[in-house]
């Protein structure tokens, strides 16, 4: 679509992710499909139109056609990426995941039977990471997820709202003070007008997504949800029980505040949490981490964590170290004792920032309320 919202069948790149969109384009009197990128569409019943239009420069990814149409399109210059067999996911998908999709039928089946678990098991099959078909499918999938995330930020439910990242350890147990504080941070950020983005996993990530998701409830409503979740403190020994408990809370409080999770099947032993309304799950962890940091234009709050959180601190610090002054985003470390003594990332961060534009964009605080005040500046 052009900026005014009108349909535009011109030769520029146009992503088509629904049959309805494809049909609308046909009704504009288009004569060419040059620049059209159609993803995972069932185009059966449209043979006449597909044969009529100029196909040079069109791209079809994982689409279904009537007999003979695919050969016709190829012969006239279209590029067609076929469906990949034996792959338990759609590498050409046009949208992000939802928890309901990844945990399909979790109320009646074990986690091991869900789409999320099946994809992870596929990804770790012997030789899978070096198989040409598998690596191609994973790369196409991650590209599609990136496109869907861009669209969500540009024109979708998250458009126009600053994103604040919340990073923290996966080990924070439901019912713990650490979990409650992460949930409070998510709640405060969402109520202040920020979209909360996390790594999409359990622990502090789940808590922050949960706090944001339930931010429209009164305080006692969130307390009830926290108490309910505490009945299953962690995803070990049973992901099934952990996920079902969260699903029950979501079912009790549907339609919560939008929140983003960006997990990865690289760490597939850590399941995605069910409180992220939009889930951008990647195969490539390095891509996922870089995108998560890049998206957080409102800054990042680092809750107490261990190796993974330390890595995220210095990955963000590296970007801010070399960034132009106007693109530096706040870094807020919560927990003086943790970041000065348990894992002394703060002294190193201060040393890196000394004399550079990022020096006045790093903060060490003790409470999540202080962290909110920093990102609101």
């Amino acid at each position: 679509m052009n900026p005014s919202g009108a349909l535009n069948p011109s030769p520029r790149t146009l992503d088509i992710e629904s049959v309805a969109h494809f049909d609308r384009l046909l009704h504009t009197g288009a004569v060419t499909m040059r620049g059209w990128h159609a993803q995972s569409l069932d185009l059966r019943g449209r043979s006449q139109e597909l044969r009529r239009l100029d196909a040079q420069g069109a791209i079809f990814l994982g689409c279904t056609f009537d007999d003979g149409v695919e050969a016709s399109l190829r012969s006239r210059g279209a590029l067609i990426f076929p469906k990949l067999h034996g792959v338990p996911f759609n590498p050409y998908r046009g949208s992000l995941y939802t928890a309901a999709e990844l945990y399909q039928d979790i109320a009646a089946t074990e986690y091991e039977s869900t789409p999320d678990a099946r994809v992870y098991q596929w990804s770790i099959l012997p030789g899978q990471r070096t198989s040409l078909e598998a690596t191609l499918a994973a790369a196409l999938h991650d590209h599609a997820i990136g496109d869907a995330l861009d669209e969500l930020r540009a024109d979708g439910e998250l458009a126009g709202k600053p994103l604040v990242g919340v990073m923290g350890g996966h080990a924070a147990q439901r019912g713990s003070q650490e979990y409650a504080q992460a949930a409070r941070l998510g709640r405060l950020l969402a109520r202040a007008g920020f979209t909360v983005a996390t790594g999409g996993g359990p622990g502090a990530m789940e808590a922050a997504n949960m706090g944001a998701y339930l931010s429209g409830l009164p305080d006692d409503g969130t307390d009830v949800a926290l108490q309910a979740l505490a009945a299953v403190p962690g995803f070990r020994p049973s992901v099934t029980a952990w996920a079902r408990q969260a699903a029950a809370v979501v079912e009790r409080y549907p339609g919560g505040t939008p929140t983003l999770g960006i997990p990865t099947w690289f760490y597939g032993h850590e399941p995605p949490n069910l409180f992220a309304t939009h889930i951008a799950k990647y195969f490539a962890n390095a891509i996922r981490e870089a995108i998560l940091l890049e998206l957080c234009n409102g800054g990042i709050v680092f809750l107490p964590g261990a190796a993974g959180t330390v890595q995220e601190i210095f990955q963000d610090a590296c970007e801010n170290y070399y960034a132009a002054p106007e693109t530096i985003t706040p870094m807020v470390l919560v927990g003086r004792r943790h970041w000065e003594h348990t894992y002394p990332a703060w002294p190193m961060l201060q040393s890196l920032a000394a004399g550079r534009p990022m020096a006045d964009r790093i903060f060490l605080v003790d409470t999540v309320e202080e962290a909110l005040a920093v990102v609101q500046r």
Side-chain angles (χ1 to χ4, degrees):
M1 290 188 180
N2 62 32
S4 68
L7 290 169
N8 182 359
S10 67
R12 69 189 182 91
T13 299
L14 184 64
D15 292 328
I16 308 168
E17 294 160 357
S18 72
V19 173
H21 187 190
F22 188 86
D23 288 343
R24 290 199 302 272
L25 291 171
L26 294 179
H27 294 152
T28 64
V31 296
T32 180
M33 294 185 289
R34 181 182 295 277
W36 291 16
H37 294 177
Q39 294 179 231
S40 298
L41 304 186
D42 185 346
L43 298 176
R44 289 174 293 186
R46 292 161 181 80
S47 301
Q48 183 177 348
E49 292 85 351
L50 289 167
R51 293 179 187 278
R52 172 179 60 83
L53 293 170
D54 177 14
Q56 183 70 40
I59 298 177
F60 296 89
L61 303 103
C63 294
T64 304
F65 307 97
D66 289 323
D67 291 343
V69 173
E70 181 174 332
S72 171
L73 290 170
R74 289 183 188 277
S75 69
R76 292 182 290 122
L79 183 60
I80 299 179
F81 288 81
K83 291 183 177 180
L84 299 177
H85 299 289
V87 175
F89 57 89
N90 179 3
Y92 310 116
R93 62 180 297 119
S95 62
L96 299 185
Y97 291 99
T98 64
E101 180 182 0
L102 292 174
Y103 286 99
Q104 183 179 358
D105 296 329
I106 188 63
T109 62
E110 296 296 307
Y111 169 70
E112 288 74 16
S113 298
T114 64
D116 184 68
R118 292 201 305 271
V119 173
Y120 176 55
Q121 290 301 318
W122 172 89
S123 74
I124 60 173
L125 289 173
Q128 198 76 302
R129 297 192 188 277
T130 57
S131 160
L132 176 60
E133 184 171 280
T135 54
L136 175 61
L140 288 169
H141 169 276
D142 284 2
H143 176 77
I145 289 294
D147 278 351
L149 190 53
D150 287 343
E151 290 177 8
L152 183 70
R153 293 281 293 129
D155 305 311
E157 202 171 11
L158 304 186
K161 294 186 68 175
L163 261 70
V164 171
V166 177
M167 311 294 180
H170 69 269
Q173 295 279 287
R174 296 167 174 172
S176 68
Q177 183 64 23
E178 292 81 6
Y179 190 97
Q181 284 302 300
R184 178 162 177 77
L185 175 61
R187 178 180 180 82
L188 291 172
L189 288 168
R191 285 191 160 187
F194 298 103
T195 294
V196 171
T198 77
M205 294 172 281
E206 179 191 55
N209 282 134
M210 189 275 287
Y213 177 81
L214 297 179
S215 60
L217 295 179
D219 289 346
D220 57 356
T222 303
D223 292 340
V224 170
L226 285 168
Q227 291 170 9
L229 289 171
V232 184
F235 64 93
R236 296 188 178 100
S238 173
V239 175
T240 301
W242 176 86
R244 285 177 179 170
Q245 198 71 10
V249 171
V250 172
E251 184 178 5
R252 182 175 180 178
Y253 304 107
T257 300
T259 176
L260 179 64
I262 308 183
T264 173
W265 277 294
F266 185 81
Y267 296 134
H269 56 285
E270 292 184 11
N273 76 71
L274 286 82
F275 294 102
T277 58
H278 301 82
I279 301 176
K281 190 155 190 177
Y282 288 85
F283 286 99
N285 183 52
I287 295 175
R288 163 253 193 176
E289 288 182 340
I291 288 174
L292 179 55
L293 294 175
E294 178 185 340
L295 286 178
C296 295
N297 53 4
I300 298 179
V301 179
F302 298 92
L303 297 171
T309 310
V310 171
Q311 176 187 345
E312 289 160 347
I313 288 173
F314 288 105
Q315 188 171 348
D316 193 25
C318 184
E319 294 190 8
N320 282 336
Y321 185 90
Y322 291 109
E326 63 272 14
T327 65
I328 296 173
T329 55
M331 299 178 63
V332 189
L333 279 61
V334 179
R336 291 180 183 275
R337 179 171 182 79
H338 186 86
W339 295 122
E340 286 185 321
H341 301 287
T342 306
Y343 293 103
W346 177 249
M348 177 68 80
L349 187 59
Q350 283 184 304
S351 297
L352 281 173
R356 301 192 69 85
M358 67 179 286
D360 61 353
R361 308 307 297 277
I362 63 170
F363 305 88
L364 179 64
V365 301
D366 266 325
T367 68
V368 295
E369 288 79 9
E370 291 174 293
L372 173 67
V374 169
V375 298
Q376 281 185 308
R377 293 176 190 171

